[in-house]
PDB file of all heavy atoms in Angstrom:
ATOM      1  N   ASP A 320       4.010  15.083 -16.270  1.00  0.00           N
ATOM      2  CA  ASP A 320       2.636  15.164 -15.791  1.00  0.00           C
ATOM      3  C   ASP A 320       2.620  15.136 -14.266  1.00  0.00           C
ATOM      4  O   ASP A 320       3.120  14.190 -13.662  1.00  0.00           O
ATOM      5  CB  ASP A 320       1.834  13.989 -16.349  1.00  0.00           C
ATOM      6  CG  ASP A 320       0.346  14.107 -16.049  1.00  0.00           C
ATOM      7  OD1 ASP A 320       0.003  14.444 -14.905  1.00  0.00           O
ATOM      8  OD2 ASP A 320      -0.470  13.850 -16.951  1.00  0.00           O
ATOM      9  N   PRO A 321       2.036  16.160 -13.601  1.00  0.00           N
ATOM     10  CA  PRO A 321       2.010  16.175 -12.129  1.00  0.00           C
ATOM     11  C   PRO A 321       1.320  14.949 -11.523  1.00  0.00           C
ATOM     12  O   PRO A 321       1.768  14.429 -10.500  1.00  0.00           O
ATOM     13  CB  PRO A 321       1.253  17.463 -11.794  1.00  0.00           C
ATOM     14  CG  PRO A 321       1.401  18.314 -12.997  1.00  0.00           C
ATOM     15  CD  PRO A 321       1.466  17.387 -14.166  1.00  0.00           C
ATOM     16  N   PHE A 322       0.232  14.507 -12.148  1.00  0.00           N
ATOM     17  CA  PHE A 322      -0.502  13.348 -11.633  1.00  0.00           C
ATOM     18  C   PHE A 322       0.360  12.087 -11.690  1.00  0.00           C
ATOM     19  O   PHE A 322       0.442  11.326 -10.723  1.00  0.00           O
ATOM     20  CB  PHE A 322      -1.789  13.155 -12.427  1.00  0.00           C
ATOM     21  CG  PHE A 322      -2.582  11.933 -12.042  1.00  0.00           C
ATOM     22  CD1 PHE A 322      -3.003  11.740 -10.732  1.00  0.00           C
ATOM     23  CD2 PHE A 322      -2.908  10.973 -12.990  1.00  0.00           C
ATOM     24  CE1 PHE A 322      -3.736  10.609 -10.368  1.00  0.00           C
ATOM     25  CE2 PHE A 322      -3.645   9.847 -12.643  1.00  0.00           C
ATOM     26  CZ  PHE A 322      -4.050   9.666 -11.327  1.00  0.00           C
ATOM     27  N   LEU A 323       1.033  11.871 -12.826  1.00  0.00           N
ATOM     28  CA  LEU A 323       1.911  10.701 -12.945  1.00  0.00           C
ATOM     29  C   LEU A 323       3.076  10.801 -11.972  1.00  0.00           C
ATOM     30  O   LEU A 323       3.521   9.791 -11.410  1.00  0.00           O
ATOM     31  CB  LEU A 323       2.422  10.563 -14.377  1.00  0.00           C
ATOM     32  CG  LEU A 323       1.380  10.160 -15.431  1.00  0.00           C
ATOM     33  CD1 LEU A 323       2.021  10.075 -16.807  1.00  0.00           C
ATOM     34  CD2 LEU A 323       0.745   8.821 -15.059  1.00  0.00           C
ATOM     35  N   PHE A 324       3.580  12.028 -11.762  1.00  0.00           N
ATOM     36  CA  PHE A 324       4.661  12.202 -10.782  1.00  0.00           C
ATOM     37  C   PHE A 324       4.208  11.786  -9.391  1.00  0.00           C
ATOM     38  O   PHE A 324       4.921  11.058  -8.681  1.00  0.00           O
ATOM     39  CB  PHE A 324       5.114  13.665 -10.766  1.00  0.00           C
ATOM     40  CG  PHE A 324       5.991  14.018  -9.593  1.00  0.00           C
ATOM     41  CD1 PHE A 324       7.303  13.591  -9.532  1.00  0.00           C
ATOM     42  CD2 PHE A 324       5.483  14.759  -8.526  1.00  0.00           C
ATOM     43  CE1 PHE A 324       8.109  13.901  -8.433  1.00  0.00           C
ATOM     44  CE2 PHE A 324       6.259  15.075  -7.435  1.00  0.00           C
ATOM     45  CZ  PHE A 324       7.593  14.642  -7.389  1.00  0.00           C
ATOM     46  N   LEU A 325       3.004  12.218  -9.006  1.00  0.00           N
ATOM     47  CA  LEU A 325       2.503  11.841  -7.684  1.00  0.00           C
ATOM     48  C   LEU A 325       2.261  10.342  -7.583  1.00  0.00           C
ATOM     49  O   LEU A 325       2.485   9.738  -6.525  1.00  0.00           O
ATOM     50  CB  LEU A 325       1.228  12.613  -7.363  1.00  0.00           C
ATOM     51  CG  LEU A 325       1.416  14.085  -6.983  1.00  0.00           C
ATOM     52  CD1 LEU A 325       0.073  14.768  -6.794  1.00  0.00           C
ATOM     53  CD2 LEU A 325       2.260  14.209  -5.717  1.00  0.00           C
ATOM     54  N   LEU A 326       1.822   9.703  -8.684  1.00  0.00           N
ATOM     55  CA  LEU A 326       1.670   8.248  -8.665  1.00  0.00           C
ATOM     56  C   LEU A 326       3.021   7.567  -8.477  1.00  0.00           C
ATOM     57  O   LEU A 326       3.129   6.556  -7.763  1.00  0.00           O
ATOM     58  CB  LEU A 326       1.000   7.769  -9.949  1.00  0.00           C
ATOM     59  CG  LEU A 326      -0.472   8.150 -10.150  1.00  0.00           C
ATOM     60  CD1 LEU A 326      -1.007   7.519 -11.433  1.00  0.00           C
ATOM     61  CD2 LEU A 326      -1.329   7.719  -8.960  1.00  0.00           C
ATOM     62  N   LEU A 327       4.055   8.104  -9.116  1.00  0.00           N
ATOM     63  CA  LEU A 327       5.408   7.562  -8.920  1.00  0.00           C
ATOM     64  C   LEU A 327       5.851   7.730  -7.472  1.00  0.00           C
ATOM     65  O   LEU A 327       6.472   6.829  -6.886  1.00  0.00           O
ATOM     66  CB  LEU A 327       6.398   8.267  -9.858  1.00  0.00           C
ATOM     67  CG  LEU A 327       6.341   7.900 -11.337  1.00  0.00           C
ATOM     68  CD1 LEU A 327       7.258   8.821 -12.143  1.00  0.00           C
ATOM     69  CD2 LEU A 327       6.758   6.447 -11.539  1.00  0.00           C
ATOM     70  N   ILE A 329       3.872   7.935  -4.838  1.00  0.00           N
ATOM     71  CA  ILE A 329       3.098   7.002  -4.019  1.00  0.00           C
ATOM     72  C   ILE A 329       3.697   5.602  -4.099  1.00  0.00           C
ATOM     73  O   ILE A 329       3.905   4.938  -3.082  1.00  0.00           O
ATOM     74  CB  ILE A 329       1.619   6.986  -4.464  1.00  0.00           C
ATOM     75  CG1 ILE A 329       0.944   8.313  -4.100  1.00  0.00           C
ATOM     76  CG2 ILE A 329       0.863   5.823  -3.817  1.00  0.00           C
ATOM     77  CD1 ILE A 329      -0.432   8.500  -4.726  1.00  0.00           C
ATOM     78  N   ILE A 362       3.211  21.587  -8.078  1.00  0.00           N
ATOM     79  CA  ILE A 362       2.268  20.924  -7.172  1.00  0.00           C
ATOM     80  C   ILE A 362       2.248  21.687  -5.852  1.00  0.00           C
ATOM     81  O   ILE A 362       3.303  22.074  -5.334  1.00  0.00           O
ATOM     82  CB  ILE A 362       2.676  19.457  -6.936  1.00  0.00           C
ATOM     83  CG1 ILE A 362       2.549  18.666  -8.229  1.00  0.00           C
ATOM     84  CG2 ILE A 362       1.823  18.813  -5.841  1.00  0.00           C
ATOM     85  CD1 ILE A 362       3.133  17.264  -8.149  1.00  0.00           C
ATOM     86  N   GLN A 366      -0.970  19.687  -1.016  1.00  0.00           N
ATOM     87  CA  GLN A 366      -1.358  18.438  -1.661  1.00  0.00           C
ATOM     88  C   GLN A 366      -0.246  17.403  -1.525  1.00  0.00           C
ATOM     89  O   GLN A 366      -0.493  16.242  -1.183  1.00  0.00           O
ATOM     90  CB  GLN A 366      -1.668  18.673  -3.146  1.00  0.00           C
ATOM     91  CG  GLN A 366      -2.106  17.395  -3.866  1.00  0.00           C
ATOM     92  CD  GLN A 366      -2.190  17.568  -5.382  1.00  0.00           C
ATOM     93  OE1 GLN A 366      -1.642  18.531  -5.929  1.00  0.00           O
ATOM     94  NE2 GLN A 366      -2.841  16.643  -6.055  1.00  0.00           N
ATOM     95  N   VAL A 370      -0.509  13.724   0.583  1.00  0.00           N
ATOM     96  CA  VAL A 370      -0.271  12.467  -0.137  1.00  0.00           C
ATOM     97  C   VAL A 370       0.909  11.715   0.460  1.00  0.00           C
ATOM     98  O   VAL A 370       0.841  10.497   0.694  1.00  0.00           O
ATOM     99  CB  VAL A 370      -0.038  12.757  -1.642  1.00  0.00           C
ATOM    100  CG1 VAL A 370       0.486  11.509  -2.355  1.00  0.00           C
ATOM    101  CG2 VAL A 370      -1.325  13.225  -2.296  1.00  0.00           C
ATOM    102  N   LEU A 414      -5.606   3.195  -0.832  1.00  0.00           N
ATOM    103  CA  LEU A 414      -4.931   3.416  -2.112  1.00  0.00           C
ATOM    104  C   LEU A 414      -5.833   4.168  -3.083  1.00  0.00           C
ATOM    105  O   LEU A 414      -5.375   5.073  -3.797  1.00  0.00           O
ATOM    106  CB  LEU A 414      -4.501   2.074  -2.717  1.00  0.00           C
ATOM    107  CG  LEU A 414      -3.296   1.395  -2.066  1.00  0.00           C
ATOM    108  CD1 LEU A 414      -3.071   0.011  -2.666  1.00  0.00           C
ATOM    109  CD2 LEU A 414      -2.042   2.250  -2.230  1.00  0.00           C
ATOM    110  N   ALA A 415      -7.116   3.799  -3.114  1.00  0.00           N
ATOM    111  CA  ALA A 415      -8.058   4.510  -3.984  1.00  0.00           C
ATOM    112  C   ALA A 415      -8.161   5.978  -3.579  1.00  0.00           C
ATOM    113  O   ALA A 415      -8.206   6.878  -4.437  1.00  0.00           O
ATOM    114  CB  ALA A 415      -9.428   3.839  -3.918  1.00  0.00           C
ATOM    115  N   THR A 416      -8.175   6.238  -2.276  1.00  0.00           N
ATOM    116  CA  THR A 416      -8.226   7.622  -1.781  1.00  0.00           C
ATOM    117  C   THR A 416      -6.968   8.382  -2.178  1.00  0.00           C
ATOM    118  O   THR A 416      -7.032   9.552  -2.579  1.00  0.00           O
ATOM    119  CB  THR A 416      -8.384   7.625  -0.249  1.00  0.00           C
ATOM    120  OG1 THR A 416      -9.569   6.914   0.116  1.00  0.00           O
ATOM    121  CG2 THR A 416      -8.474   9.052   0.288  1.00  0.00           C
ATOM    122  N   LEU A 417      -5.809   7.725  -2.084  1.00  0.00           N
ATOM    123  CA  LEU A 417      -4.542   8.367  -2.465  1.00  0.00           C
ATOM    124  C   LEU A 417      -4.549   8.767  -3.944  1.00  0.00           C
ATOM    125  O   LEU A 417      -4.114   9.870  -4.301  1.00  0.00           O
ATOM    126  CB  LEU A 417      -3.371   7.417  -2.185  1.00  0.00           C
ATOM    127  CG  LEU A 417      -2.820   7.422  -0.762  1.00  0.00           C
ATOM    128  CD1 LEU A 417      -1.856   6.268  -0.560  1.00  0.00           C
ATOM    129  CD2 LEU A 417      -2.133   8.747  -0.454  1.00  0.00           C
ATOM    130  N   VAL A 418      -5.032   7.873  -4.790  1.00  0.00           N
ATOM    131  CA  VAL A 418      -5.089   8.180  -6.224  1.00  0.00           C
ATOM    132  C   VAL A 418      -6.011   9.376  -6.469  1.00  0.00           C
ATOM    133  O   VAL A 418      -5.694  10.277  -7.261  1.00  0.00           O
ATOM    134  CB  VAL A 418      -5.565   6.948  -7.020  1.00  0.00           C
ATOM    135  CG1 VAL A 418      -5.824   7.319  -8.481  1.00  0.00           C
ATOM    136  CG2 VAL A 418      -4.524   5.832  -6.932  1.00  0.00           C
ATOM    137  N   LEU A 419      -7.126   9.418  -5.769  1.00  0.00           N
ATOM    138  CA  LEU A 419      -8.070  10.533  -5.921  1.00  0.00           C
ATOM    139  C   LEU A 419      -7.443  11.845  -5.443  1.00  0.00           C
ATOM    140  O   LEU A 419      -7.610  12.893  -6.084  1.00  0.00           O
ATOM    141  CB  LEU A 419      -9.344  10.229  -5.131  1.00  0.00           C
ATOM    142  CG  LEU A 419     -10.543  11.167  -5.353  1.00  0.00           C
ATOM    143  CD1 LEU A 419     -10.928  11.191  -6.833  1.00  0.00           C
ATOM    144  CD2 LEU A 419     -11.720  10.721  -4.501  1.00  0.00           C
ATOM    145  N   LEU A 420      -6.707  11.796  -4.333  1.00  0.00           N
ATOM    146  CA  LEU A 420      -6.048  12.998  -3.819  1.00  0.00           C
ATOM    147  C   LEU A 420      -4.967  13.486  -4.775  1.00  0.00           C
ATOM    148  O   LEU A 420      -4.736  14.697  -4.902  1.00  0.00           O
ATOM    149  CB  LEU A 420      -5.440  12.711  -2.437  1.00  0.00           C
ATOM    150  CG  LEU A 420      -6.423  12.427  -1.299  1.00  0.00           C
ATOM    151  CD1 LEU A 420      -5.663  12.069  -0.025  1.00  0.00           C
ATOM    152  CD2 LEU A 420      -7.328  13.633  -1.044  1.00  0.00           C
ATOM    153  N   ALA A 421      -4.281  12.545  -5.426  1.00  0.00           N
ATOM    154  CA  ALA A 421      -3.256  12.922  -6.396  1.00  0.00           C
ATOM    155  C   ALA A 421      -3.870  13.510  -7.663  1.00  0.00           C
ATOM    156  O   ALA A 421      -3.295  14.397  -8.301  1.00  0.00           O
ATOM    157  CB  ALA A 421      -2.394  11.700  -6.752  1.00  0.00           C
ATOM    158  N   TRP A 422      -5.067  13.047  -8.009  1.00  0.00           N
ATOM    159  CA  TRP A 422      -5.740  13.468  -9.238  1.00  0.00           C
ATOM    160  C   TRP A 422      -6.442  14.814  -9.074  1.00  0.00           C
ATOM    161  O   TRP A 422      -6.441  15.643  -9.988  1.00  0.00           O
ATOM    162  CB  TRP A 422      -6.727  12.379  -9.643  1.00  0.00           C
ATOM    163  CG  TRP A 422      -7.501  12.664 -10.897  1.00  0.00           C
ATOM    164  CD1 TRP A 422      -7.023  13.227 -12.061  1.00  0.00           C
ATOM    165  CD2 TRP A 422      -8.888  12.403 -11.120  1.00  0.00           C
ATOM    166  NE1 TRP A 422      -8.027  13.325 -12.996  1.00  0.00           N
ATOM    167  CE2 TRP A 422      -9.192  12.814 -12.455  1.00  0.00           C
ATOM    168  CE3 TRP A 422      -9.899  11.833 -10.344  1.00  0.00           C
ATOM    169  CZ2 TRP A 422     -10.462  12.692 -12.995  1.00  0.00           C
ATOM    170  CZ3 TRP A 422     -11.162  11.701 -10.899  1.00  0.00           C
ATOM    171  CH2 TRP A 422     -11.436  12.136 -12.206  1.00  0.00           C
ATOM    172  N   GLN A 423      -7.039  15.034  -7.887  1.00  0.00           N
ATOM    173  CA  GLN A 423      -7.844  16.235  -7.662  1.00  0.00           C
ATOM    174  C   GLN A 423      -7.207  17.120  -6.573  1.00  0.00           C
ATOM    175  O   GLN A 423      -7.445  16.921  -5.378  1.00  0.00           O
ATOM    176  CB  GLN A 423      -9.266  15.849  -7.242  1.00  0.00           C
ATOM    177  CG  GLN A 423     -10.047  15.098  -8.306  1.00  0.00           C
ATOM    178  CD  GLN A 423     -10.369  15.975  -9.510  1.00  0.00           C
ATOM    179  OE1 GLN A 423     -10.457  17.197  -9.394  1.00  0.00           O
ATOM    180  NE2 GLN A 423     -10.537  15.360 -10.667  1.00  0.00           N
ATOM    181  N   PRO A 424      -6.397  18.095  -6.944  1.00  0.00           N
ATOM    182  CA  PRO A 424      -5.710  18.936  -5.948  1.00  0.00           C
ATOM    183  C   PRO A 424      -6.668  19.688  -5.022  1.00  0.00           C
ATOM    184  O   PRO A 424      -6.322  19.973  -3.873  1.00  0.00           O
ATOM    185  CB  PRO A 424      -4.900  19.913  -6.805  1.00  0.00           C
ATOM    186  CG  PRO A 424      -4.806  19.275  -8.155  1.00  0.00           C
ATOM    187  CD  PRO A 424      -6.043  18.462  -8.315  1.00  0.00           C
ATOM    188  N   LEU A 426      -9.112  18.821  -3.372  1.00  0.00           N
ATOM    189  CA  LEU A 426      -9.476  18.102  -2.148  1.00  0.00           C
ATOM    190  C   LEU A 426      -8.578  18.482  -0.968  1.00  0.00           C
ATOM    191  O   LEU A 426      -8.977  18.381   0.179  1.00  0.00           O
ATOM    192  CB  LEU A 426      -9.423  16.584  -2.382  1.00  0.00           C
ATOM    193  CG  LEU A 426     -10.517  16.009  -3.282  1.00  0.00           C
ATOM    194  CD1 LEU A 426     -10.236  14.558  -3.618  1.00  0.00           C
ATOM    195  CD2 LEU A 426     -11.889  16.135  -2.588  1.00  0.00           C
ATOM    196  N   THR A 427      -7.357  18.900  -1.264  1.00  0.00           N
ATOM    197  CA  THR A 427      -6.434  19.313  -0.203  1.00  0.00           C
ATOM    198  C   THR A 427      -6.290  20.827  -0.105  1.00  0.00           C
ATOM    199  O   THR A 427      -6.007  21.353   0.961  1.00  0.00           O
ATOM    200  CB  THR A 427      -5.045  18.689  -0.423  1.00  0.00           C
ATOM    201  OG1 THR A 427      -4.633  18.921  -1.776  1.00  0.00           O
ATOM    202  CG2 THR A 427      -5.060  17.200  -0.167  1.00  0.00           C
TER     203      THR A 427
END
Side-chain angles (χ1 to χ4, degrees):
D320 188 315
F322 176 57
L323 290 179
F324 167 74
L325 285 176
L326 292 184
L327 286 173
I329 290 169
I362 294 171
Q366 181 190 16
V370 169
L414 286 174
T416 302
L417 275 169
V418 172
L419 190 57
L420 293 176
W422 180 41
Q423 296 292 334
L426 290 171
T427 50

